[in-house]
Amino acid sequence: MFNAEKPSLDQLPSSKQLIRSTVIAGVSAVAILVTVVLPAEYNIDPTGIGRAIGLKEMGEIKTQLADEAEADRLMEQAAEEQSSLLNDVLGLFVGAAYAQDATSVTAETWRDETTFTLAPGDSAEWKLVMEQGQTAQYRMVVEGGKVNFDLHGHGGGNSVTYEKGRGSTGAEGEIVAEFNGEHGWFWRNRDSSDVTVTVQVRGEYAEFKDAS
């Protein structure tokens, strides 16, 4: 096995030599920093050597690229903030639209509804139990044909005709009760095929009932 000889004390560098080497290394590092690293990396050339050997141009390119990257980052950040603001505004509009739709749905809510089918020649009668001065709204839809109807009221020895329809496919309106009693419709199918009638009502009344 080979054994290296242990150096003698005379072969080791002295303290003065070590200090000088350290100083030389430090000066060299500073020189490299000032003449190479600063011009090439940060576009800083205090000695002018970087420009002379083309390193400053490299530093200018790197600095420009860094500036462009920062500008792109700021633009992306601004775009994200604008997008977030736009989403917030759209959210407000959508919320308002939903609220308006909900109001519309509420406005179209009917208290009672009935649907029935009349064969040719058949009839039906539905009435609202109302007191004098009460008001009710209605909508009638006829599908599959046409009907004749008589919208009237009776009660306490009183009677009144509010509206009559011939060959009707539907109607809508309002009933204002002229007296206490039952107010509503009598339908008859004078067509040659079955018809389906849907009636929706809401407003001031005690009951909506089949009076056939």
Side-chain angles (χ1 to χ4, degrees), residues 61-131:
I61 293 174
K62 288 185 177 181
T63 302
Q64 182 179 359
L65 291 176
D67 291 342
E68 291 177 354
E70 178 63 14
D72 290 342
R73 186 189 69 80
L74 292 176
M75 290 180 62
E76 290 178 0
Q77 181 179 351
E80 290 176 357
E81 291 175 353
Q82 290 178 354
S83 177
S84 177
L85 178 61
L86 179 60
N87 288 336
D88 290 342
V89 173
L90 289 176
L92 291 175
F93 278 114
V94 171
Y98 278 129
Q100 184 176 1
D101 289 344
T103 301
S104 298
V105 170
T106 302
E108 287 297 323
T109 299
W110 295 92
R111 178 176 161 185
D112 288 296
E113 177 177 323
T114 184
T115 299
F116 51 87
T117 299
L118 297 177
D122 281 355
S123 64
E125 189 169 10
W126 279 75
K127 296 293 179 61
L128 296 166
V129 179
M130 304 174 68
E131 295 181 2

Side-chain angles (χ1 to χ4, degrees), residues 26-41:
V27 171
S28 299
V30 172
I32 293 173
L33 174 66
V34 173
T35 60
V36 177
V37 177
L38 291 180
E41 296 295 333

Side-chain angles (χ1 to χ4, degrees), residues 127-132 134 152-158 162 177-184 205-207 209:
K127 296 293 179 61
L128 296 166
V129 179
M130 304 174 68
E131 295 181 2
Q132 183 177 5
Q134 287 187 329
H152 61 278
H154 58 82
N158 299 308
Y162 295 108
E178 293 193 7
F179 45 80
N180 298 347
E182 297 181 353
H183 305 261
Y205 58 88
E207 185 183 0
K209 65 179 185 177

